[in-house]
Amino acid sequence: MKKKILVAGGAGFIGYHLCKKLLKQHIIYCVDNFCTGSINNVNELNKNKNFFFIKQNIQNNFFLKCDEIYNLACPASPNKYQKNPIDTIKTNIFGSINLLNIAKKNNAKIFQASTSEVYGDPNLHPQKEDYRGNVNIVGVRACYDEGKRLAESLFFDYKRSYNIKIKVARIFNTYGPYMNSDDGRVISNFIVAALNNKPLIINGDGNQTRCFCYIDDTVKGILKLMNSKNSISGPINIGSSNEKSIIYIAKKIIKMTNSKSDIILKNKLQDDPIKRKPSLLLAKRDLNWQQKTSLFKGLEKTIKYFSSA
Ligand code: NAD
Ligand code: UDP
C-alpha cells in the first residue's frame, strides 16, 4: 500500500538515502530547514513526482496528514551540533514533541534516529541497549547526547501516555556517498583530505576506536525496525561491529587513494569517546539484521563518490 510518509531531516545524509529507498513505494513529505542538509540532495529527490519538500524548522509547531514519520532532523557531526548547542537541544526537545504530536493526531507510527552517543564515553564494551551510559552532563557534547537521551524519554512517555507506535534506533557511526564534503565527520574528512594530498588530522593519538557501518546497511536496519511487529519499540542498536582505531582508518584511506598525505596528531577533543562498539544481539534476534558491506567495499564506494563529486 502506498503510504504518505513524513521524513524530518530528509535533506541530510541518511535522510537522502532513506527518502530514495522509500520513494520506490511511497509518497514522501520531506521536512528540513537546511541547517546541515543539502539543496542538491533535495533537487535530486525532487526528480521523483512522489517527493514533496517543505522548508520547516521542526522546533516550530506544524501539521501534516501522514501514515508514518521518521525523525532524522538534528545535526549529527560533532562540530556542527556544537556550533549552536542551544539550538541542538531545542531541535531534539521541541522538534520531537512537535513530531510526536503529529503522530498522535494522525495515529501514525513514528521512528526516532537516536544514537550511540547516548552511551557517552562508555565504560561497558560493547555497548548493550540496557547500558545507561556515561555522559558528561555539562560537557560540550551534552547538547547532542542529553538532547537525544531526552528525545528517547519523550518517545517512551508518548507511547505510555497515548499508546503511540514508536520505533527507536540507536545508530552507530554511518558513512557513505552523499555526506557533505565539509560535514566534519572522520571518514569524509579523511577521504577529502587524502584525495587532495592534504594532511589527515587526528584528534588525539588515534587509538580511539569506532565501528563504521555503510549507509545502505544502516538504511536497511532502519526500515526493518520501522516495519517490525508492534511489540518491538527498541531502543535497538544499528551499526557495524567491525572495530577499528582512527589511525588504522587514516592509513587505510591513504593507501586506498594512493595519497601522498601525512598524518598529523593534534590534541584529543573534550569527552571524545575512547572506544565504541555496539552489541548487535537485539538487532539480530528481533530484526534479523546485521551489516553486510565490508569496510573495504564501503570505503571504495565512498572514495569513488568523493572522487567525482
Ligand atoms: P545530517 O546532519 O546530514 O542530517 C540532519 C538533517 O536534519 C539535515 O538535513 C538538517 O538540515 C536537518 N535538520 C537539523 N535540524 C533541523 C530542524 N530543527 N528542523 C528541520 N530540519 C533539521 O546527519 P545524518 O548523518 O544524516 O543523521 C541523521 C540522523 O541520524 C540525526 O538525527 C543523527 O543524530 C542520527 N545519527 C546519525 C549517525 C551517523 O553516523 N550518520 C549516527 C547516529 C545517529
Ligand atoms: N576525528 C579525527 N579527525 C577528523 C574527524 C574526526 O581524528 O578529522 C576523530 C574524532 O575525534 C573521533 C573519531 O574520529 O574520535 C570519530 O569522529 P566523528 O566526528 O566521525 O564521529 P563521532 O564518533 O565522534 O561522533
Side-chain angles (χ1 to χ4, degrees):
M1 190 193 72
K2 201 174 250 190
K3 294 179 201 156
K4 286 184 178 162
I5 302 181
L6 190 170
V7 180
F13 162 54
I14 297 182
Y16 166 80
H17 289 274
L18 181 67
C19 287
K20 196 141 195 198
K21 192 98 183 163
L22 289 170
L23 275 167
K24 291 189 175 154
Q25 240 186 307
H26 304 293
I27 300 169
I28 304 301
Y29 295 92
C30 168
V31 167
D32 203 294
N33 68 348
F34 288 126
C35 128
T36 52
S38 143
I39 184 80
N40 295 338
N41 290 350
V42 169
N43 287 341
E44 197 153 327
L45 292 164
N46 247 331
K47 291 176 190 160
N48 189 309
K49 65 175 176 23
N50 286 327
F51 180 80
F52 299 92
F53 180 73
I54 300 152
K55 188 157 186 234
Q56 169 77 40
N57 186 335
I58 61 159
Q59 292 169 23
N60 303 324
N61 199 11
F62 70 106
F63 183 71
L64 248 172
K65 262 198 133 358
C66 59
D67 305 305
E68 283 183 358
I69 303 172
Y70 289 83
N71 181 22
L72 308 175
C74 180
S77 175
N79 72 358
K80 300 278 196 257
Y81 65 66
Q82 287 171 31
K83 203 175 268 170
N84 192 343
I86 296 164
D87 198 65
T88 300
I89 294 175
K90 284 184 183 165
T91 292
N92 277 302
I93 296 175
F94 301 136
S96 296
I97 291 174
N98 285 331
L99 293 173
L100 283 160
N101 282 334
I102 296 174
K104 184 177 158 218
K105 280 187 200 141
N106 282 305
N107 193 22
K109 186 160 54 171
I110 179 165
F111 169 91
Q112 165 66 356
S114 191
T115 166
S116 52
E117 282 282 326
V118 299
Y119 302 120
D121 186 7
N123 35 38
L124 179 88
H125 196 72
Q127 291 83 56
K128 284 174 67 181
E129 288 83 348
D130 60 4
Y131 173 53
R132 293 187 187 172
N134 179 35
V135 172
N136 177 1
I137 303 159
V138 295
V140 292
R141 295 173 88 103
C143 59
Y144 184 74
D145 301 10
E146 295 293 3
K148 288 283 187 178
R149 285 165 69 98
L150 195 82
E152 284 197 22
S153 307
L154 280 165
F155 270 69
F156 279 86
D157 280 332
Y158 266 75
K159 174 180 156 67
R160 281 185 289 262
S161 303
Y162 305 115
N163 207 16
I164 284 179
K165 292 183 211 83
I166 63 159
K167 304 282 180 182
V168 178
R170 290 185 180 152
I171 301 169
F172 282 63
N173 296 68
T174 294
Y175 71 100
Y178 291 87
M179 294 182 94
N180 275 338
S181 54
D182 70 345
D183 176 86
R185 279 174 281 187
V186 70
I187 300 274
S188 47
N189 269 9
F190 283 1
I191 292 178
V192 171
L195 289 172
N196 291 292
N197 294 311
K198 298 247 174 74
L200 276 61
I201 312 288
I202 292 188
N203 308 317
D205 60 12
N207 289 321
Q208 69 266 44
T209 66
R210 297 289 188 275
C211 302
F212 293 98
C213 191
Y214 188 64
I215 182 68
D216 291 359
D217 292 328
T218 297
V219 168
K220 275 184 199 143
I222 290 173
L223 291 172
K224 278 207 158 187
L225 174 56
M226 189 58 150
N227 297 316
S228 60
K229 55 187 179 198
N230 284 345
S231 59
I232 297 173
S233 293
I236 295 189
N237 293 337
I238 298 286
S240 156
S241 54
N242 181 17
E243 188 178 7
K244 291 282 179 266
S245 68
I246 295 303
I247 190 106
Y248 171 92
I249 298 288
K251 288 179 180 163
K252 186 96 187 157
I253 288 174
I254 288 176
K255 192 166 171 211
M256 288 179 71
T257 50
N258 289 319
S259 174
K260 297 186 180 65
S261 294
D262 295 322
I263 293 175
I264 297 181
L265 303 183
K266 291 210 170 161
N267 290 339
K268 177 184 179 292
L269 302 179
Q270 190 192 329
D271 297 331
D272 195 352
I274 290 170
K275 51 188 182 318
R276 178 183 292 158
K277 176 182 177 173
S279 159
L280 294 173
L281 294 174
L282 277 189
K284 278 185 202 143
R285 188 195 71 189
D286 290 349
L287 309 178
N288 189 25
W289 176 88
Q290 63 186 80
Q291 85 280 358
K292 293 259 157 60
T293 314
S294 69
L295 182 62
F296 181 80
K297 201 85 212 137
L299 285 177
E300 208 173 49
K301 289 184 182 181
T302 313
I303 290 167
K304 192 169 166 211
Y305 169 78
F306 280 109
S307 306
S308 58

